Amino acid sequence: MSVFLMKDAVHVEEAEVENCVRDVMKEKKIEQKDTRFKTNLQISLLQITGYKKLYLNVENLRRIPYDSENEEHEEQLIELWNLLMPHENLKARVSKQWCDIGFQGDDPKTDFRGMGLLGLVNLVYFSRHYTNEARQILSRSNHPKLGYSYAIVGINLTEMAYSLLKNGTLKAHLYNLVSGLPQMEHFHQFYCYLVYEFDKFWFEEEPESIMHFNQYREKFHEKIKGLLLDYNVVLTLQDTKKP
């Protein structure tokens, strides 16, 4: 057997999962009417298949460079500004105003180089789905002593979420969160959790200056990796915000 059948099972495509479950049950002489076993195996295989597919989708988005000639890319960037700065008009596409939401220069496209379009999509998702929280965190990031570059840190946290997904550390979280195929939405939700928690962490730690960012970023990274070691872990912003 069927060690080989089981090894093959974790590599099946989504459409083949049902047939694969039937074959495994037949090989192991498990009654097809054992619906509990069938359901649990099906969910497990969908989760394993879905995790790999999610990583590929995230990686594909990361590999798309920001293109200022692409209308969709530009629309998302302007949406980010409008969500975060509803009472201030952007005077020009290339403008020092971008620094007000934490980009490094007058054209944000250069800041997306490392994470590509994924960095922008994450920033927009958080601002769109948690608008009040995003504006509050942006405001806190302008603190005279503990301030940090909101957008740049956001892109940095995209890299953190991406690396945790890539190396498999997010498996327990996603398997506990989703009974079936994890979607891009679930990755974005984890990113939102990181942004919200990092801001809290930063102000609790009270770094002497932004010059120590990498040191505190790594400390936060280790904290998150520690939480993800728990087999029962589910890290969501909804749970974090419960009183």
Side-chain angles (χ1 to χ4, degrees), residues 206-218:
E206 297 187 343
E208 286 183 26
S209 83
I210 192 66
M211 299 302 291
H212 297 129
F213 173 78
N214 286 341
Q215 171 191 338
Y216 285 93
R217 191 256 192 209
E218 192 50 39

Side-chain angles (χ1 to χ4, degrees), residues 47-220:
Q47 288 176 325
I48 293 166
T49 302
Y51 191 94
K52 293 173 181 174
K53 189 174 179 182
L54 174 61
Y55 168 68
L56 291 175
N57 289 339
V58 169
E59 173 66 5
N60 287 338
L61 194 55
R62 187 189 73 84
R63 288 187 177 189
I64 299 173
Y66 183 89
D67 180 5
S68 54
E69 300 298 315
N70 185 306
E71 195 173 323
E72 286 184 16
H73 295 189
E74 288 286 288
E75 284 174 0
Q76 286 188 72
L77 185 59
I78 299 304
E79 182 184 1
L80 178 65
W81 175 270
N82 291 335
L83 285 165
L84 292 173
M85 304 289 278
H87 305 301
E88 186 174 337
N89 289 328
L90 188 64
K91 295 179 176 64
R93 165 60 184 79
V94 176
S95 166
K96 287 292 181 190
Q97 284 178 286
W98 289 112
C99 296
D100 294 343
I101 61 172
F103 286 104
Q104 287 182 321
D106 56 9
D107 191 347
K109 73 177 183 182
T110 57
D111 293 326
F112 293 118
R113 282 177 187 154
M115 285 292 108
L117 200 59
L118 182 64
L120 175 59
V121 170
N122 273 167
L123 283 168
V124 172
Y125 184 95
F126 181 59
S127 301
R128 187 187 291 155
H129 292 271
Y130 300 98
T131 308
N132 290 336
E133 289 78 8
R135 290 174 185 170
Q136 286 166 11
I137 291 173
L138 173 61
S139 177
R140 281 159 62 86
S141 75
N142 289 317
H143 189 282
K145 183 175 182 295
L146 299 173
Y148 58 85
S149 298
Y150 176 83
I152 294 299
V153 169
I155 295 168
N156 198 291
L157 292 171
T158 288
E159 193 282 327
M160 186 181 294
Y162 164 78
S163 67
L164 290 168
L165 178 72
K166 183 178 181 179
N167 65 24
T169 309
L170 272 189
K171 283 180 180 177
H173 161 73
L174 287 172
Y175 292 170
N176 290 329
L177 183 67
V178 191
S179 293
L181 291 164
Q183 305 291 333
M184 185 69 82
E185 174 92 5
H186 301 117
F187 177 80
H188 294 328
Q189 285 287 340
F190 177 69
Y191 167 81
C192 293
Y193 171 86
L194 290 183
V195 173
Y196 189 82
E197 286 298 303
F198 178 81
D199 179 73
K200 282 201 314 186
F201 172 83
W202 181 262
F203 278 87
E204 286 165 4
E205 292 287 327
E206 297 187 343
E208 286 183 26
S209 83
I210 192 66
M211 299 302 291
H212 297 129
F213 173 78
N214 286 341
Q215 171 191 338
Y216 285 93
R217 191 256 192 209
E218 192 50 39
K219 188 175 179 182
F220 178 71

